Amino acid sequence: SQTIHQWPATLVQPVGSPLSLECTVEGTSNPNLYWYRQAAGRGLQLLFYSVGIGQISSEVPQNLSASRPQDRQFILSSKKLLLSDSGFYLCAWSVLPTGELFFGEGSRLTVL
Amino acid sequence: GQQVMQIPQYQHVQEGEDFTTYCNSSTTLSNIQWYKQRPGGHPVFLIQLVKSGEVKKQKRLTFQFGEAKKNSSLHITATQTTDVGTYFCAGLGGRRALTFGSGTRLQVQP
């Protein structure tokens, strides 16, 4: 069966520090991968999606970046965090772009 | 760009009352999906609708996709405390990734 792992679950970072969130999927090949962000009490904002290794589409201009170094690994990074980067970050995968999304447990980031 | 709106933002009901959330897209959708997010959790897929005018039921939940494929609704009959959470619609328009609505937070008073 397929599983998705996302870490760390919680982190508190100072403004200007770097960020790295990791997500891995097991039990499937060539998944579509996604990073969403959810501000407190708000909806899900699509940040990045990837249909294959090295293929990243960015949806929102920001100081975040994403990489897909391996087929089932998706990384969200920032060189310098802003206060506005605080939120709940969710990694997800799907078999097809049209199919259901399977979400990880999420990473709650607080930037102080 | 594509926008998906949901109303209401929040609804508080007494247990046993019905609940409906509505979803409207600025563009025609190829499909629409619904997700439920429990407090502190991650979204979990409920259902996908593809056909114009489609209606699907899951026990006390009824999902509809509009004839023009630009709107959808989720209706819960006789709510229970286990229905508490935020319900999101998500649509696939011209992009290759889902656009989520803002969500409707449901609180059920026992």
Side-chain angles (χ1 to χ4, degrees):
Chain A
S1 64
Q2 301 90 357
T3 56
I4 178 168
H5 302 283
Q6 186 180 340
W7 71 95
T10 307
L11 65 166
V12 180
Q13 296 283 102
V15 169
S17 64
L19 171 73
S20 180
L21 301 178
E22 294 196 33
C23 173
T24 60
V25 181
E26 297 177 359
T28 187
S29 297
N30 197 30
N32 293 282
L33 295 171
Y34 309 83
W35 279 110
Y36 283 88
R37 178 170 61 197
Q38 185 175 31
R42 304 289 294 276
L44 281 75
Q45 178 188 35
L46 177 65
L47 301 176
F48 301 95
Y49 66 94
S50 171
V51 299
I53 296 175
Q55 300 178 61
I56 309 292
S57 296
S58 174
E59 288 295 308
V60 181
Q62 58 220 331
N63 69 322
L64 299 171
S65 62
S67 62
R68 185 171 179 172
Q70 300 180 44
D71 181 43
R72 290 170 291 173
Q73 183 183 24
F74 207 22
I75 298 172
L76 182 69
S77 304
S78 174
K79 292 182 179 178
K80 288 185 177 182
L81 285 168
L82 307 172
L83 287 174
S84 57
D85 291 324
S86 293
F88 191 43
Y89 288 82
L90 289 154
C91 180
W93 73 273
S94 68
V95 174
L96 299 171
T98 56
E100 70 177 276
L101 293 179
F102 299 92
F103 284 89
E105 297 292 326
S107 298
R108 196 167 301 279
L109 169 66
T110 303
V111 182
L112 300 175
Chain B
Q2 180 186 2
Q3 291 188 339
V4 179
M5 308 294 191
Q6 252 183 285
I7 55 170
Q9 276 191 306
Y10 172 75
Q11 187 146 12
H12 188 150
V13 300
Q14 293 290 322
E15 191 172 20
E17 292 181 338
D18 292 356
F19 160 77
T20 304
T21 173
Y22 300 90
C23 179
N24 289 284
S25 171
S26 58
T27 60
T28 301
L29 302 171
S30 59
N31 73 39
I32 194 149
Q33 299 178 17
W34 285 90
Y35 292 78
K36 177 183 178 181
Q37 183 177 26
R38 293 183 186 274
H42 59 277
V44 175
F45 175 82
L46 293 176
I47 207 161
Q48 176 173 281
L49 304 170
V50 179
K51 299 177 183 176
S52 170
E54 188 171 12
V55 178
K56 286 188 176 181
K57 291 190 176 185
Q58 287 181 350
K59 297 183 180 178
R60 294 178 294 104
L61 279 61
T62 302
F63 304 84
Q64 289 188 312
F65 199 9
E67 293 291 340
K69 300 185 77 173
K70 295 181 73 174
N71 57 71
S72 181
S73 65
L74 159 58
H75 179 81
I76 302 178
T77 303
T79 54
Q80 300 175 358
T81 55
T82 53
D83 296 324
V84 165
T86 301
Y87 293 84
F88 292 98
C89 63
L92 195 65
R95 300 193 306 187
R96 296 192 65 181
L98 288 170
T99 298
F100 277 77
S102 49
T104 296
R105 187 160 68 94
L106 172 65
Q107 185 65 35
V108 180
Q109 184 75 34

